[in-house]
Amino acid sequence: MLETARDLTFEAAQSSRLSRLTSSSKPLSTAQIKGLLESQNERDKLEGLRKVISMMYRSQSCLPFFPSVAKNMASPSIEIKKLVIIYLLHYSEAEPDTALLAVNIIQKSLSDKNPQVRAMALKVMSGMRVPAISQIVSLGIKKGCGDMSPQVRKVAALAIPKCYRLDPSTLPQLLGYLSTLLGDKQYYVAGAAAMAYMAISPERVDLVHEYFKSILKKLVDMDEWSQLATLKMMTIYSRKCFPRRTQKVRKGGSSAFYGEEESDGDENYPADEIQMLDPDLELFLKACKPLLQSRNSAVVVAVARSYFHLGPPEYIISAVGPLISLLRGPQEIQQIALFNIVTVCLEYPEPFVKYATHFLVLATDPIYIWILKLEILTIIFCYCNPHIKGLILSELEHFSRGPDKELVRESVRAIGRCAQSDSRTSARCLRLLLKQISSLDGTLVAESLTVIRHLIQQDPLAHRKTVIRLAKSLDTATNPQARASIIWLVGEFAGIDAENNIAADFLRLLAKGFVDEPEAAKLQIVLLAAKVYVHHLNQIQLSKGTTPDPEPTLPSSIIIPSIPHEAGGFAEFSFGSSVPDSSQPAMRMEEEDQITLLWKYIILLARYDTSYDLRDRARLYKSLLTVPSSTQLASLLLLAPKPVPHTPSPSESRKDFTLGSASLAVGEDGGLNGLRGYEPLPDWVTEGQQPPSSLRNEGHAKMEYGEKRETPASERLDNASRAMPQQIMDDTNGLGVKDLSLDDWLDEGDKEGEKEVEGSDEDEESSEESSEESSEDDSSEEESDEGEQGSNQATLMK
């Protein structure tokens, strides 16, 4: 009792002294900290290490304490060893010579009874980043692979990539250790081995053949980061070992009857290609399905990647719901999830239709979130029912009138993509856009006119009145780009309907205010004047080249004057003659003169403008149209049909990147081939070049005679338990485990082998004696049986 009180008093005195040292505001000097580190008391060492670690994380130099800290690696306290490991991992690369002094102590810790100490020693040895100890680290990994503790074996697996970075020449040895650890029965050891495999040799699929099915059984129990490495490893393995097989199936066609050939009528039905899964590939895809319920968003995306790049559509459909559930997380996770959802949606849009309301823009969404949401809404728009389509268009119309210019621009573009994807709603989309022309927001008007121009170019004949309406709204348009778009539309479709052609009169109105127009509008006015003049020259050439015919077929743009019957029926007339017929008014020549004068007036105004581009453009058109022989060239240049514009989805350029990769999120900013270090998935292996499926059978690989292999500790324990006699199993309550070390187990196995060799002769003699005894026992048993039968008969007679 007195000794206990004395110990408590001594500890209290020490703690009070330490509290006085630590509570003082004055920092400790270097000599004081060294005194604490070299103290004989464990409390002082622990306090000194805490001071050093705190200084280290405050970016203060702690190199002077390296020898004092390295000595404490031999301390029996686990807390002290942990702090020493943190220090050594941080400063071993800066002081490699001094770090070598601690290697001997660390090697001794590899044989410690405590598995936690052994794991810490292997961890610090592999993380010291001193190339001189690479072989020592390799030997430590070899020893850790055969350790009885799964924790040590896991650390050994994680140390393999570190050793490879120290010395790449150790790769053959490390691959042997890795092959042993991949077949470990503990799931967290196999998961760590999968991470090491992806770090040093992802192309060595031959290491996975034997353990393919066993790894899939452990996949659900692994931690999240091991699951990520295993899923990526199995995805690459599947591409390299399973060929892509497809089968054509006709929809609606009748199958052949009793093996007869299909009739020609079945060719009318479309044939769909269905992917035929390999049994082992199907086993992998089914093993991934429980991981869709993981709490880690990266695991969910990794499973979706495997389904998207390996499986048929029904598997990726099962991953749509878990991907949508990621939108309930933080905004950073939402952004990454939306990038992957957009990529999947570009290939399989229909499964996302029922989740359309999840992509509606919220007031709290930042710009990088609602841009992706609007893109998804436009992708699934054509697959939605009328109610959802109306809801989407109403949302887009609402956001197109908002104060945020970026949101306005993206909303208008989204309306245009909706109109392009579904022609049945293009009329409504056009009405929504035409309402925005009178807006005071120049950004909204400019984007609306750009989208309207794209819609009109898709079907010009159906939008003749739309062009007239746009021309009338020119007075209300104040944005330079908006006015330029309207002028371009009028000039582009001036020759479609000659009877209702307003281009010439529209040009006349624009010529009055040419000086006050912005430069973008002036360029389009000059272009409009050139187009009108080219149409005028083409009409003159057609009229001159027309021959008298009872029923002349002239273009609709040429006005045929009415000839009275009194003039003798089909009279000859020439549209290019300067002397008109007395029966018609001389209006045609006056109109032609007005167009020519209007063209010369516009060119004259552009000649003295202050803009260099405008003067050069006017000089080009004038030199092109002055020579009559170049009229055809001018027509090809100015009146050539324009290709119908199609606005693709903004994510079309990034859909070739692997799902879940950083290059997919960065997109074009990461370069044409993605970010540095990005590696796409390998192509499917060709039919006939895949490895045989028998390699994936468990226990297929057999050891050849004389070949050595690192045996996991778990396998050695199982073998030892099977070899134990039944009596020992009974004495140990059926567990068969005694308080013996691994060396004791191996020594007992050697002794038992020697005893078996020495006792073989004794077994033969004992077998002969046992045979004689068994014969005597049999005879005695027969006599006893006869005696029993006699007694039974006597009782029956009585």
Side-chain angles (χ1 to χ4, degrees):
M1 190 71 180
L2 293 175
E3 293 178 357
T4 305
R6 189 183 301 109
D7 294 339
L8 292 175
T9 305
F10 182 70
E11 291 180 1
Q14 285 183 340
S15 61
S16 63
R17 183 174 62 87
L18 290 174
S19 63
R20 287 195 301 270
L21 289 174
T22 56
S23 61
S24 60
S25 58
K26 183 179 179 181
L28 298 179
S29 62
T30 303
Q32 291 176 335
I33 295 177
K34 283 186 177 181
L36 291 174
L37 294 174
E38 296 175 357
S39 174
Q40 299 297 327
N41 191 357
E42 298 294 330
R43 288 178 175 270
D44 293 345
K45 293 180 181 179
L46 185 61
E47 184 63 28
L49 286 171
R50 288 173 179 172
K51 291 287 185 181
V52 172
I53 299 299
S54 63
M55 292 172 60
M56 184 177 68
Y57 283 105
R58 288 198 299 267
S59 300
Q60 298 180 10
S61 178
C62 299
L63 284 175
F65 309 113
F66 198 98
S68 302
V69 173
K71 293 178 183 178
N72 292 319
M73 189 65 192
S75 175
S77 175
I78 296 180
E79 289 79 6
I80 292 178
K81 287 186 176 182
K82 288 181 180 179
L83 296 178
V84 173
I85 286 174
I86 294 174
Y87 182 87
L88 290 178
L89 292 177
H90 194 271
Y91 284 109
S92 60
E93 190 174 8
E95 290 287 338
D97 297 334
T98 312
L100 293 176
L101 300 176
V103 173
N104 189 22
I105 302 175
I106 296 172
Q107 279 186 295
K108 292 180 180 179
S109 300
L110 290 176
S111 302
D112 196 274
K113 294 182 179 180
N114 191 343
Q116 187 176 3
V117 175
R118 297 198 299 272
M120 288 165 47
L122 184 56
K123 180 179 180 181
V124 67
M125 184 185 292
S126 61
M128 288 176 65
R129 297 190 297 273
V130 180
I133 63 171
S134 60
Q135 295 298 329
I136 300 177
V137 175
S138 177
L139 293 175
I141 294 173
K142 180 181 179 181
K143 190 173 183 179
C145 291
D147 198 280
M148 296 175 59
S149 174
Q151 182 182 2
V152 180
R153 299 199 298 273
K154 179 181 178 180
V155 174
L158 296 176
I160 289 177
K162 301 176 184 178
C163 183
Y164 175 72
R165 286 192 290 268
L166 282 178
D167 187 6
S169 63
T170 59
L171 181 61
Q173 305 171 17
L174 299 178
L175 290 178
Y177 308 151
L178 184 60
S179 177
T180 302
L181 294 171
L182 282 173
D184 199 281
K185 293 184 178 181
Q186 295 293 334
Y187 57 88
Y188 43 88
V189 179
M195 298 171 66
Y197 171 86
M198 293 304 301
I200 66 172
S201 60
E203 72 283 351
R204 290 290 303 274
V205 294
D206 58 310
L207 299 177
V208 189
H209 290 321
E210 183 182 357
Y211 312 113
F212 177 79
K213 295 181 180 179
S214 63
I215 292 175
L216 292 183
K217 292 178 183 178
K218 307 183 190 88
L219 181 59
V220 179
D221 298 325
M222 295 179 183
D223 61 279
E224 289 88 349
W225 307 114
S226 298
Q227 287 173 352
L228 290 175
T230 306
L231 287 172
K232 187 175 182 180
M233 178 182 71
M234 289 302 178
T235 303
I236 297 175
Y237 179 86
S238 301
R239 281 292 189 96
K240 291 185 176 182
C241 299
F242 303 126
R244 183 178 178 85
R245 299 186 179 97
T246 57
Q247 182 179 2
K248 290 186 177 181
V249 178
R250 297 187 183 276
K251 289 186 177 181
S254 59
S255 59
F257 184 71
Y258 291 126
E260 296 178 356
E261 295 182 357
E262 296 182 356
S263 61
D264 296 338
D266 292 340
E267 296 179 357
N268 298 327
Y269 296 100
D272 293 340
E273 285 191 356
I274 298 178
Q275 183 179 357
M276 305 300 294
L277 292 178
D278 188 275
D280 290 337
L281 176 57
E282 188 175 5
L283 179 65
F284 167 54
L285 296 178
K286 288 183 179 180
C288 297
K289 197 167 186 178
L291 301 183
L292 290 173
Q293 310 301 325
S294 176
R295 60 184 179 180
N296 193 318
S297 57
V299 176
V300 177
V301 174
V303 176
R305 175 186 60 204
S306 300
Y307 284 173
F308 182 74
H309 294 289
L310 298 178
E314 53 266 20
Y315 281 95
I316 192 62
I317 290 173
S318 63
V320 170
L323 286 175
I324 298 296
S325 65
L326 299 180
L327 299 180
R328 295 194 292 265
Q331 292 180 350
E332 293 78 10
I333 295 180
Q334 289 185 36
Q335 183 185 16
I336 300 301
L338 286 171
F339 276 122
N340 293 277
I341 289 174
V342 169
T343 304
V344 177
C345 194
L346 289 172
E347 294 291 333
Y348 306 102
E350 294 183 3
F352 293 92
V353 171
K354 60 181 180 180
Y355 301 104
T357 54
H358 290 74
F359 304 114
L360 297 178
V361 180
L362 304 178
T364 56
D365 288 339
I367 179 173
Y368 54 84
I369 295 293
W370 53 252
I371 285 179
L372 295 171
K373 285 187 174 181
L374 292 180
E375 184 177 358
I376 296 174
L377 289 177
T378 56
I379 294 173
I380 66 175
F381 180 78
C382 59
Y383 300 95
C384 298
N385 55 43
H387 172 69
I388 299 297
K389 289 181 181 178
L391 178 63
I392 293 174
L393 290 178
S394 299
E395 287 288 321
L396 295 178
E397 182 183 6
H398 170 73
F399 288 115
S400 65
R401 299 176 180 175
D404 191 349
K405 292 185 177 181
E406 289 292 333
L407 183 56
V408 168
R409 184 180 295 108
E410 292 297 328
S411 300
V412 173
R413 291 176 180 175
I415 293 175
R417 292 198 296 270
C418 291
Q420 288 182 355
S421 61
D422 189 2
S423 58
R424 293 172 295 181
T425 58
S426 59
R428 179 179 177 182
C429 295
L430 190 59
R431 288 195 300 270
L432 293 177
L433 296 172
L434 289 174
K435 292 179 182 178
Q436 315 297 344
I437 297 176
S438 58
S439 175
L440 298 178
D441 189 357
T443 304
L444 174 59
V445 175
E447 290 295 332
S448 300
L449 285 171
T450 303
V451 176
I452 290 172
R453 176 170 60 84
H454 292 171
L455 295 178
I456 292 176
Q457 284 184 263
Q458 291 180 357
D459 190 5
L461 296 176
H463 297 92
R464 291 175 294 184
K465 294 183 179 179
T466 305
V467 176
I468 298 175
R469 181 176 176 180
L470 289 174
K472 292 180 179 179
S473 62
L474 183 66
D475 295 336
T476 59
T478 57
N479 187 273
Q481 295 297 331
R483 297 180 66 85
S485 297
I486 294 175
I487 297 170
W488 184 89
L489 283 171
V490 174
E492 182 67 20
F493 305 107
I496 293 179
D497 189 4
E499 296 180 358
N500 298 321
N501 191 2
I502 61 170
D505 193 47
F506 189 66
L507 179 62
R508 179 182 60 82
L509 296 175
L510 290 172
K512 296 179 180 180
F514 181 85
V515 181
D516 300 328
E517 292 286 346
E519 183 179 353
K522 288 180 180 179
L523 290 171
Q524 296 301 325
I525 291 173
V526 173
L527 179 60
L528 173 63
K531 290 180 178 180
V532 171
Y533 189 59
V534 168
H535 279 295
H536 172 63
L537 295 178
N538 289 336
Q539 291 177 4
I540 294 176
Q541 289 184 1
L542 288 175
S543 61
K544 286 182 178 180
T546 305
T547 57
D549 196 358
E551 294 180 2
T553 57
L554 299 176
S556 58
S557 60
I558 299 178
I559 302 176
I560 302 176
S562 59
I563 301 174
H565 294 283
E566 292 80 8
F570 297 97
E572 294 184 7
F573 56 90
S574 175
F575 291 99
S577 176
S578 59
V579 182
D581 189 76
S582 59
S583 60
Q584 61 179 355
M587 298 296 296
R588 183 64 181 175
M589 292 300 299
E590 294 179 2
E591 183 181 356
E592 292 175 354
D593 293 338
Q594 289 178 359
I595 292 176
T596 305
L597 292 175
L598 188 59
W599 158 250
K600 292 180 179 180
Y601 178 68
I602 296 295
I603 292 298
L604 186 62
L605 291 175
R607 180 181 179 182
Y608 295 101
D609 196 85
T610 58
S611 174
Y612 294 99
D613 294 336
L614 184 61
R615 295 200 301 267
D616 293 342
R617 190 74 57 87
R619 190 180 300 112
L620 171 65
Y621 294 152
K622 181 180 179 181
S623 60
L624 187 64
L625 296 175
T626 301
V627 183
S629 60
S630 62
T631 305
Q632 186 177 3
L633 178 61
S635 299
L636 292 175
L637 180 63
L638 300 175
L639 304 180
K642 307 299 186 297
V644 178
H646 178 71
T647 307
S649 182
S651 297
E652 285 284 347
S653 59
R654 69 180 76 191
K655 68 177 183 179
D656 294 331
F657 292 114
T658 305
L659 206 68
S661 61
S663 298
L664 178 67
V666 175
E668 297 178 351
D669 297 336
L672 184 61
N673 298 322
L675 294 172
R676 182 180 180 182
Y678 168 75
E679 294 181 1
L681 289 177
D683 296 332
W684 291 92
V685 64
T686 57
E687 185 70 34
Q689 297 183 1
Q690 73 274 15
S693 60
S694 58
L695 295 176
R696 290 184 289 273
N697 296 333
E698 296 184 6
H700 172 78
K702 296 182 179 179
M703 303 298 297
E704 296 181 359
Y705 181 77
E707 186 178 358
K708 295 183 178 180
R709 181 174 67 93
E710 290 293 331
T711 306
S714 58
E715 184 177 345
R716 293 158 70 179
L717 285 174
D718 292 342
N719 296 335
S721 62
R722 293 194 207 96
M724 290 178 64
Q726 185 65 29
Q727 183 65 29
I728 298 178
M729 295 289 290
D730 296 337
D731 295 341
T732 55
N733 296 326
L735 297 176
V737 178
K738 291 186 177 181
D739 190 11
L740 296 177
S741 63
L742 179 61
D743 297 331
D744 297 333
W745 281 109
L746 298 177
D747 294 337
E748 283 186 1
D750 296 336
K751 292 178 181 179
E752 288 176 0
E754 294 176 357
K755 290 180 180 179
E756 289 177 359
V757 174
E758 295 175 356
S760 59
D761 298 332
E762 298 177 0
D763 293 337
E764 293 178 356
E765 296 176 358
S766 63
S767 62
E768 293 178 356
E769 294 176 359
S770 62
S771 62
E772 293 177 357
E773 292 176 358
S774 62
S775 61
E776 293 177 358
D777 293 336
D778 293 337
S779 61
S780 63
E781 287 177 1
E782 291 178 356
E783 293 177 357
S784 63
D785 292 336
E786 292 176 357
E788 289 178 0
Q789 290 178 0
S791 62
N792 291 335
Q793 290 178 0
T795 53
L796 289 173
M797 291 296 291
K798 290 179 181 181

